[in-house]
Amino acid sequence: MKLLKLLPILLLGISALGFTTQKTPSWQTLFNGKDLKEWDTYLAPDYDDSGKPLTGIPIGLNNDPKKVFTVIKQGEENIIRISGESWGAISTKKEYENYHLQLQFKWGNLKWGQKKNSNKDSGLLYHSVGKYGADYGSWMRSQEFQIDEGNCGDYWGVAGGAADIPAIKEGKNYTYRPEGKLISFREDSQIGRFCKKMSDAERPSGEWNTVDLYCYGDTSVHVMNGKVMMVLYCNKQIDDGNESPLRKGKIQIQSEGAEVYYKGIKIQQITSLPATLLK
């Protein structure tokens, strides 16, 4: 009984010394496991096998006659299927900043149009802002965490998205290296808007992969299956040569010529980047 009476006093003393418990941020699920009501869809004009638009008229917002984006049952769980037949994306209805996003994906078997003889391709587009179809008639301005068979974790600036990345030149391309020179990757420069990941961590086609994206302030980190692929600094956008910050926006998941499945999409707020990611 004496110990029970002393317990509140002991806890008060511990708190006074600064030993307070920290609450783990709660996860918010972005896929309800039933349908895509929490997302918008956008589809570009139809293209021929060479990549030329057939009509130039977008299929548009929340209009999906070919059922490119569906929820299917696989085993004991419902997952998102993106057929890849038309170019476009699903996008969150809300904007997000300062977060840790996690999702799982695996490749299907189908490839379409100009991608029939290429790697299977999709993409996680973050800090998405502005009009639909700004890039290739398909995607909003954003930063791309590349989901591409064999190249998962690469960076691509979409419709004016840009970033500073430590990198070294290897052949024709630049590759992320923590010890490299900080280079601005942007569409209106000679270097361009593409940077390769540091290493490979993708699992064989048909197996589930885990993607973690950390965004805090103007910094973002691409992580594949627990391995850091790239750290991006000074996330920004370019308009007529002028830079402005790009630190928040919607999240898009691409349809880009390949069948792909997604599940376990969730997000939590963060107040800093884990130090282990920046080593």
Side-chain angles (χ1 to χ4, degrees):
M1 289 297 292
K2 289 182 178 179
L3 183 59
L4 290 175
K5 290 179 179 179
L6 286 172
L7 187 58
I9 299 173
L10 290 171
L11 291 174
L12 182 62
I14 291 172
S15 178
L17 289 171
F19 297 99
T20 56
T21 57
Q22 297 293 323
K23 289 185 178 180
T24 302
S26 59
W27 286 102
Q28 174 190 349
T29 300
L30 295 184
F31 170 49
N32 64 20
K34 299 181 294 184
D35 52 45
L36 295 173
K37 288 182 180 178
E38 298 171 357
W39 299 73
D40 289 316
T41 69
Y42 185 85
L43 291 171
D46 285 324
Y47 300 104
D48 65 18
D49 287 359
S50 67
K52 294 180 180 179
L54 296 175
T55 65
I57 302 171
I59 298 171
L61 183 65
N62 294 321
N63 181 30
D64 186 7
K66 296 179 182 178
K67 303 299 181 186
V68 174
F69 307 106
T70 55
V71 175
I72 66 168
K73 191 171 184 66
Q74 194 171 84
E76 297 299 316
E77 60 185 348
N78 287 342
I79 61 176
I80 297 171
R81 176 182 181 258
I82 299 178
S83 74
E85 185 174 1
S86 296
W87 267 233
I90 56 173
S91 62
T92 58
K93 294 179 182 291
K94 297 180 180 179
E95 293 189 341
Y96 297 93
E97 64 179 321
N98 297 331
Y99 60 83
H100 171 199
L101 174 75
Q102 186 180 89
L103 57 77
Q104 284 80 49
F105 82 91
K106 70 175 181 179
W107 298 112
N109 297 315
L110 300 177
K111 293 193 288 186
W112 306 86
Q114 61 191 285
K115 294 287 187 174
K116 284 180 182 177
N117 299 313
S118 302
N119 296 339
K120 293 170 186 171
D121 199 356
S122 181
L124 169 62
L125 309 184
Y126 59 99
H127 297 345
S128 303
V129 297
K131 66 179 183 178
Y132 292 96
D135 194 294
Y136 197 55
S138 306
W139 308 294
M140 304 166 70
R141 170 175 290 174
S142 52
Q143 307 287 51
E144 180 168 6
F145 184 136
Q146 183 67 267
I147 307 294
D148 179 274
E149 199 171 27
N151 301 301
C152 291
D154 287 354
Y155 167 72
W156 185 267
V158 180
D164 295 348
I165 304 171
I168 60 172
K169 192 170 186 181
E170 295 183 337
K172 294 181 179 180
N173 296 312
Y174 285 84
T175 302
Y176 167 76
R177 290 285 186 271
E179 71 279 10
K181 179 183 177 182
L182 200 63
I183 297 170
S184 184
F185 289 87
R186 47 193 287 171
E187 188 176 8
D188 62 355
S189 72
Q190 289 186 341
I191 289 174
R193 52 177 168 163
F194 169 66
C195 184
K196 290 183 64 64
K197 60 187 171 58
M198 178 168 58
S199 57
D200 184 35
E202 186 180 344
R203 295 184 178 130
S205 186
E207 294 185 14
W208 286 105
N209 296 272
T210 298
V211 166
D212 288 280
L213 169 67
Y214 294 84
C215 298
Y216 186 75
D218 65 359
T219 302
S220 56
V221 186
H222 297 181
V223 181
M224 272 289 298
N225 294 316
K227 191 171 184 179
V228 174
M229 297 289 101
M230 182 180 300
V231 181
L232 297 81
Y233 301 93
C234 299
N235 277 285
K236 53 196 167 185
Q237 53 192 327
I238 311 299
D239 289 289
D240 297 324
N242 298 313
E243 299 181 5
S244 60
L246 185 59
R247 300 177 181 178
K248 66 178 181 178
K250 296 181 178 182
I251 295 160
Q252 301 176 93
I253 300 176
Q254 289 179 312
S255 173
E256 196 175 357
E259 183 181 39
V260 61
Y261 302 97
Y262 286 90
K263 68 175 184 177
I265 308 172
K266 58 185 181 179
I267 196 167
Q268 63 179 355
Q269 295 300 120
I270 58 175
T271 56
S272 64
L273 292 170
T276 53
L277 297 176
L278 304 178
K279 288 184 177 180

